[in-house]
Amino acid sequence: MRYHLPVIILLFFIVTFGFSQDTIKLSTSTVVVVKSTTSLSSKKLKTGQELVLIVAADVVVKGKTVVKAGTPVVCVVESAESAGMVGQAGKLTISVQSTTAVDGSTIALSGNFYTKGESKTGTSIAAGVILCPLALLCKGEEGDIAAGAQSRALTLGEHEIVIPEK
Amino acid sequence: MTIKTVDILFRRSIFVLYFLIFSLAWLAPVTQHVNGYPAGENLYSLFSPVCHQYPTRSFWIFDRPWALCARCSSAYLGLALASFIPFAAFSYARRALFGIGLIILVAIDPLLQLFGFYESTNLLRFITGLIGGFGAFLLIYPIPFKQKERHL
């Protein structure tokens, strides 16, 4: 009987503090590093197509991880223009949309990946006029984003993230 | 105007230019932290054509990455600091050769990383960038380091 009180007090502390959850405020414009996992090309992608990239590094606020590295990031191809004739370069813009916090809530993001291939318009026209008109069919370079390329995305709005204590 | 005057002007210009670039790199996140988004975005955009700006390969200040990666930042700092060093009187050819040697030495780190041998660290990037900056200075600096007073 005499051991009951300490045990009850111990249980009280475990229940109160052991399983408590921290709430962290993720403020607006917090940097989230987004990384591509595969190479992306303006030749293969279409405008409006949805892509999944990943978070490159943990997002830590007040010593707590609110978004883990490797979490999928939803992105949309904002514009994809393939390289064209007369040396026209390809362009690719990918807009970063959202990711998921450790508590499962969706975090809206703002950011983009942009790339433009090398234009060969001058060379194509010069060669087409001087040497052979077929040179006008020469295409510019595609807009490519290499695998592992990173970009800075910022959070939109404030979010309350619930972090379960271990 | 003596060569010495030209030398001093050249060195000072190099220092001001490259130290300004280095300073703007860390001013971008500081500006954004103090004034909030979108302040500082112009600086990030300014440097985007010259550096990949990968955040995990950059130094961070106030939870934001610098506008230049660790290697580029230190390369510009290296260029600025090299303008102070009174090197021995080498001919330009020897100096340039030494500069190229340093740059090749520095290129080993990113190349090994590119081919997947290991993942470099920001400290290593900083050191190699600094050495590369010194190498670049030796390459671009056309005036003999030590010479007698001579009028142009």
Side-chain angles (χ1 to χ4, degrees):
Chain A
M1 280 298 282
R2 61 181 176 167
Y3 295 115
H4 283 183
L5 190 62
V7 169
I8 288 167
I9 291 170
L10 188 67
L11 281 173
F12 171 79
F13 276 99
I14 288 170
V15 169
T16 312
F17 301 107
F19 299 105
S20 68
Q21 293 179 320
D22 269 358
T23 304
I24 298 277
K25 195 167 91 174
L26 182 64
S27 55
T28 188
S29 300
T30 302
V31 177
V32 178
V33 184
V34 182
K35 183 172 138 183
S36 64
T37 47
T38 55
S39 60
L40 307 163
S41 172
S42 57
K43 192 178 181 181
K44 292 174 186 169
L45 297 169
K46 287 178 182 171
T47 303
Q49 190 177 334
E50 208 165 85
L51 292 171
V52 177
L53 308 184
I54 59 163
V55 174
D58 286 349
V59 179
V60 180
V61 180
K62 291 176 187 169
K64 306 274 181 189
T65 303
V66 290
V67 182
K68 280 185 181 168
T71 307
V73 178
V74 178
C75 300
V76 170
V77 179
E78 206 170 277
S79 73
E81 292 173 32
S82 287
M85 287 175 199
V86 201
Q88 212 176 5
K91 291 177 199 166
L92 179 62
T93 310
I94 293 167
S95 167
V96 180
Q97 302 285 303
S98 65
T99 190
T100 312
V102 285
D103 65 349
S105 60
T106 302
I107 310 287
L109 298 172
S110 166
N112 64 61
F113 282 85
Y114 172 76
T115 184
K116 187 184 174 190
E118 198 183 323
S119 170
K120 290 177 182 167
T121 308
T123 317
S124 177
I125 291 174
V129 170
I130 299 165
L131 300 171
C132 171
L134 284 174
L136 294 169
L137 298 175
C138 172
K139 287 184 176 181
E141 274 184 12
E142 294 292 343
D144 294 323
I145 294 170
Q150 297 176 12
S151 183
R152 210 169 31 96
L154 301 174
T155 56
L156 292 173
E158 290 187 347
H159 300 266
E160 295 280 340
I161 313 291
V162 180
I163 297 162
E165 287 274 339
K166 282 180 184 174
Chain B
M1 190 183 269
T2 61
I3 283 188
K4 196 174 180 182
T5 318
V6 175
D7 178 35
I8 291 167
L9 274 175
F10 193 85
R11 281 169 182 263
R12 281 183 187 170
S13 308
I14 283 185
F15 175 76
V16 169
L17 174 68
Y18 291 111
F19 194 74
L20 181 73
I21 294 172
F22 170 76
S23 302
L24 288 177
W26 59 260
L27 266 174
V30 171
T31 309
Q32 196 157 87
H33 174 75
V34 173
N35 300 320
Y37 179 83
E41 284 298 313
N42 288 342
L43 291 174
Y44 283 108
S45 304
L46 178 73
F47 292 124
S48 64
V50 295
C51 176
H52 58 62
Q53 299 180 319
Y54 288 179
T56 59
R57 296 182 190 179
S58 307
F59 293 118
W60 287 54
I61 186 168
F62 298 125
D63 292 330
R64 288 168 198 285
W66 290 22
L68 286 170
C69 73
R71 188 172 283 117
C72 288
S73 314
S74 61
Y76 288 118
L77 181 66
L79 265 160
L81 295 179
S83 65
F84 284 110
I85 293 178
F87 291 95
F90 289 128
S91 67
Y92 176 72
R94 284 181 70 182
R95 225 182 313 136
L97 212 63
F98 186 54
I100 291 168
L102 285 180
I103 291 169
I104 289 170
L105 184 76
V106 164
I108 293 169
D109 178 48
L111 284 174
L112 286 177
Q113 186 180 274
L114 184 72
F115 293 117
F117 287 103
Y118 70 97
E119 180 71 26
S120 191
T121 61
N122 278 348
L123 181 66
L124 195 57
R125 288 182 191 113
F126 182 83
I127 293 166
T128 54
L130 210 60
I131 296 168
F134 275 76
F137 177 80
L138 290 170
L139 204 59
I140 63 166
Y141 190 71
I143 304 163
F145 288 117
K146 197 173 158 188
Q147 57 191 289
K148 292 164 191 168
E149 285 282 315
R150 191 152 55 94
H151 287 274
L152 285 176

